[in-house]
Amino acid sequence: MNQVDYLRISLIDRCNFRCQYCMPEGAELDYILKQNLLTDEELLTLIEEVFIPVGFTRFRLTGGEPLLRPRVVELVRAIASFPQTQDLSMTTNGFLLAPMAQSLYDVGLRRINISLDSLDPDIFDQIIGNRGRSHWQDVWNGIQAAYRVGFDPLKLNVVVIPNVNDHEVLDLAALTIDKQWHVRFIEFMPIGNAQLFGDRGWISSQELRQSIRARWGLTESKVRGSGPADVFQIPRAKGTLGFISQMSECFCDRCNRMRLSADGWLRPCLLNETGQIDLKTALRAGISTAELREQVRELLALKPEINFKQRFAGTRTGAYTRTMSQIGG
Ligand code: SAM
């Protein structure tokens, strides 16, 4: 088994986009009330006194949209400054990134993943549920700013949805040829919009690789922080292509992560809702961090069993009680 040392932290469940596959417009979403969000102080206490002592050293900030979290730059600074922090990264939609990229880098963020599901502004706006001024250019500016500032690796996440953006896979893959950008294709999961999933289904990474291979050829490659992605490269390209195949493959035996939601629930497995611990309520009830460490240690010991044996428990109905934006995608 892999050592579980990677924590994905949702800073906020709210998002400024309404991606069709994640939190579609009109879907009832119960946002976490402000008083139920972990405060900065609670989050930092949990990281320093619970997660780091049990072996977590790598952290990713996500959401919702992490750049909507008030004082996010200060939080990044604080997490980056723990001596045990070996890696700190963020997943963002990039919309607010351009003016913040330099400050985030300066306080210690070094890696960033930006979601970019389409190169066509109209399709992009349709996917993100935008009916006003196009948001594509702001996201593109955010990507360029992150590249200039020096985030490395800079990854672009693409969720491939049949008959929505699958015809753009080659164009998106081509972004890696001239720039050191790392495009990651993610199989669409039945979390967030069961109806869209039911109507369209998902496309396997293998099928995507076949079309890319037919166009340019494909060789195996590597990139830092690739986690569950299978990494390839177009021959002589500067960047790489990653494939995250959680629908077509089981990579539980490579799983090295847990997720902490913005309201303090620790979740041992993305695709399984059992085993979660409500750390915020415990902390506010005065339970010591020593006791919480023990609870997390026990959960770490149970994780292989949760990953493997109940892997499909949450997917049988296709319905999860929380979307990716609520879990911390
Ligand atoms: N707002 C940020 C963003 O857009 O990247 C961070 C949060 S978002 C929930 C994190 C990642 O989850 C994104 O790359 C998004 O595409 C992915 N995601 C959300 N719902 C998904 C689904 N049903 N299937 C596959 N990926 C999904």
Side-chain angles (χ1 to χ4, degrees), residues 200-255:
R200 309 286 175 109
W202 50 280
I203 301 179
S204 73
S205 297
Q206 204 185 354
E207 199 179 322
L208 301 183
R209 282 199 292 270
Q210 267 162 11
S211 59
I212 298 169
R213 189 175 282 120
R215 173 75 177 78
W216 292 288
L218 213 47
T219 54
E220 282 188 26
S221 184
K222 276 197 185 133
V223 65
R224 195 157 65 85
S226 57
D230 296 310
V231 183
F232 292 80
Q233 193 164 29
I234 294 172
R236 292 173 297 285
K238 291 190 174 152
T240 65
L241 296 169
F243 298 85
I244 305 188
S245 319
Q246 68 289 344
M247 297 302 292
S248 59
E249 255 181 56
C250 172
F251 41 72
C252 295
D253 59 348
R254 284 192 267 159
C255 183

Side-chain angles (χ1 to χ4, degrees), residues 15 21-22 62-66 91-93 115 157 159 186-189 191 324-325 329:
C15 189
Y21 53 76
C22 185
T62 178
E65 174 45 44
T91 301
T92 169
N93 61 33
S115 296
N157 286 354
V159 178
I186 305 172
E187 288 175 352
F188 181 25
M189 293 183 285
I191 302 184
M324 287 291 274
S325 66

Side-chain angles (χ1 to χ4, degrees), residues 273-303:
E273 301 195 321
T274 57
Q276 301 177 68
I277 308 179
D278 180 358
L279 291 173
K280 180 207 67 207
T281 303
L283 202 60
R284 290 186 188 174
I287 297 188
S288 70
T289 49
E291 165 64 19
L292 296 180
R293 273 199 296 278
E294 276 324 297
Q295 291 183 18
V296 175
R297 268 202 192 101
E298 279 167 28
L299 191 60
L300 281 165
L302 285 174
K303 181 170 158 59

Side-chain angles (χ1 to χ4, degrees), residues 96-112 114 140-154 180-181:
L96 299 173
L97 184 60
M100 296 173 82
Q102 187 70 54
S103 348
L104 288 165
Y105 191 87
D106 291 345
V107 294
L109 191 71
R110 288 291 178 270
R111 304 203 290 116
I112 203 155
I114 304 168
W140 190 248
N141 294 345
I143 295 169
Q144 303 284 350
Y147 191 49
R148 269 197 309 277
V149 162
F151 283 98
D152 181 26
L154 188 158
Q180 218 190 335
W181 290 356

Side-chain angles (χ1 to χ4, degrees), residues 122-173:
D122 292 334
I123 296 177
F124 180 83
D125 286 322
Q126 185 200 325
I127 294 173
I128 68 153
N130 177 40
R131 290 195 238 105
R133 184 178 70 85
S134 178
H135 284 22
W136 187 87
Q137 191 63 49
D138 298 271
V139 170
W140 190 248
N141 294 345
I143 295 169
Q144 303 284 350
Y147 191 49
R148 269 197 309 277
V149 162
F151 283 98
D152 181 26
L154 188 158
K155 296 183 186 168
L156 302 179
N157 286 354
V158 182
V159 178
V160 181
I161 320 256
N163 299 321
V164 174
N165 63 349
D166 55 326
H167 60 287
E168 291 192 62
V169 163
L170 292 180
D171 292 340
L172 286 155

